[in-house]
Amino acid sequence: MPSIVFKDVDYAYVDANETFEALENVNLEIEDGEFLCLVGHSGCGKSTMLSLIAGLEHPTRGEVLIDGKPITGPGPDRSIVFQNYSLFPWQTAVKNVRFAIQQTKKGASKAEADAKARELLESVGVGEAADRYPFQLSGGMRQRVAIARALAIDAPTMLLDEPFGALDPMIRRRLQEMLLDLWEGSCCKTAVFVTHDIDEALILADRIVFMEPKHIIKTFALPKDRSRNVDDLDAATKAIKDEVLELFEATATGREEEE
């Protein structure tokens, strides 16, 4: 059974007394354990879909299901990582992660939660920074702490909204590799990742979903055994990349004509 299902979903919001349609008649199934990337230009509805899965927003029409049940709000079965890190600035890295553990594992003692938090920070490569505050960390380190906190929840579904978009290319590549290793090591987590970077999607995804405003245009299943190096792609993956780039160009042209 699919882990996440969008059934005939519309989503509209009101701004300055004007209604805007963000999604229209969206249907999508995300398999259990799949790493899916939502790709498209800014403003096409990618983050809206992630918010609906997170339970932060609710469909205007239709429904979003997780494990066969309608999503009614946020829950411990889903963790989320935003682009802006969203750490508590008054808490150290280890306390940020420990907070997530104590919220989801009520029986854990402070010592147990602290030990687990330090273990998770080690796993994402910032163990030496456990007792520093967010303002004392680089952007890449803060994002690693945010990922450690999401892993601390140990949710079966991870939601990531352009988490590496503000980072420099070298740190971004390292974190992509780290995230992929953590996801593969988890065996059964479902990951939904929002990006407008086709190379990032080619590195991470089992499947790419390309969106234009309000709609899903096409989905692409990537070869399981492909190289994760974008400079060494096989013919099938290159063909997918070329088609996605063509869709980016075609939808950009359409947006320019509308404007």
Side-chain angles (χ1 to χ4, degrees), residues 161-179:
D161 194 357
E162 298 196 65
F164 310 140
L167 304 178
D168 69 61
M170 185 175 294
I171 292 175
R172 183 174 183 148
R173 180 66 179 129
R174 286 180 192 159
L175 291 183
Q176 288 165 348
E177 292 173 348
M178 181 207 72
L179 177 62

Side-chain angles (χ1 to χ4, degrees), residues 13-239:
Y13 64 95
V14 177
D15 186 18
N17 296 320
E18 187 174 356
T19 300
F20 296 89
E21 293 284 343
L23 296 174
E24 187 176 275
N25 197 34
V26 169
N27 290 279
L28 179 67
E29 294 185 355
I30 302 171
E31 296 299 323
D32 188 35
E34 182 177 20
F35 199 123
L36 182 135
C37 280
L38 296 170
V39 173
H41 293 286
S42 297
C44 68
K46 306 184 301 295
S47 294
T48 298
M49 289 187 65
L50 209 70
S51 293
L52 291 171
I53 298 170
L56 301 174
E57 304 289 349
H58 303 284
T60 309
R61 184 184 72 89
E63 57 184 354
V64 184
L65 310 174
I66 189 161
D67 295 331
K69 298 177 181 178
I71 295 172
T72 58
D77 58 336
R78 287 149 286 153
S79 61
I80 188 163
V81 180
F82 297 102
Q83 185 174 346
N84 61 359
Y85 321 125
S86 62
L87 299 176
F88 299 131
W90 61 88
Q91 292 191 338
T92 61
V94 70
K95 287 181 179 178
N96 265 280
V97 179
R98 191 176 73 197
F99 176 81
I101 295 169
Q102 291 175 318
Q103 290 300 302
T104 54
K105 298 177 181 176
K106 299 295 186 181
S109 68
K110 182 178 177 180
E112 290 169 337
D114 191 83
K116 182 62 178 177
R118 291 179 185 276
E119 178 186 326
L120 287 167
L121 289 170
E122 286 286 350
S123 76
V124 298
V126 289
E128 77 286 354
D131 295 308
R132 298 182 199 168
Y133 289 90
F135 76 90
Q136 297 173 309
L137 306 176
S138 68
M141 293 174 79
R142 288 197 296 271
Q143 196 59 302
R144 292 186 194 203
V145 176
I147 291 171
R149 189 172 65 179
L151 292 171
I153 298 172
D154 198 23
T157 299
M158 287 187 68
L159 308 173
L160 304 106
D161 194 357
E162 298 196 65
F164 310 140
L167 304 178
D168 69 61
M170 185 175 294
I171 292 175
R172 183 174 183 148
R173 180 66 179 129
R174 286 180 192 159
L175 291 183
Q176 288 165 348
E177 292 173 348
M178 181 207 72
L179 177 62
L180 194 61
D181 287 344
L182 291 170
W183 173 74
E184 289 176 338
S186 73
C187 300
C188 57
K189 287 188 186 295
T190 303
V192 185
F193 190 105
V194 167
T195 183
H196 59 266
D197 184 332
I198 177 56
D199 285 340
E200 184 164 67
L202 291 172
I203 290 166
L204 296 173
D206 291 323
R207 189 160 51 116
I208 294 172
V209 173
F210 190 91
M211 298 184 67
E212 67 174 1
K214 299 191 262 185
H215 303 286
I216 291 172
I217 297 180
K218 191 168 183 178
T219 64
F220 302 87
L222 290 158
K224 293 284 188 185
D225 58 351
R226 73 188 187 281
S227 168
R228 301 285 179 158
N229 184 342
V230 294
D231 297 319
D232 184 31
L233 300 178
D234 58 77
T237 306
K238 283 181 180 177

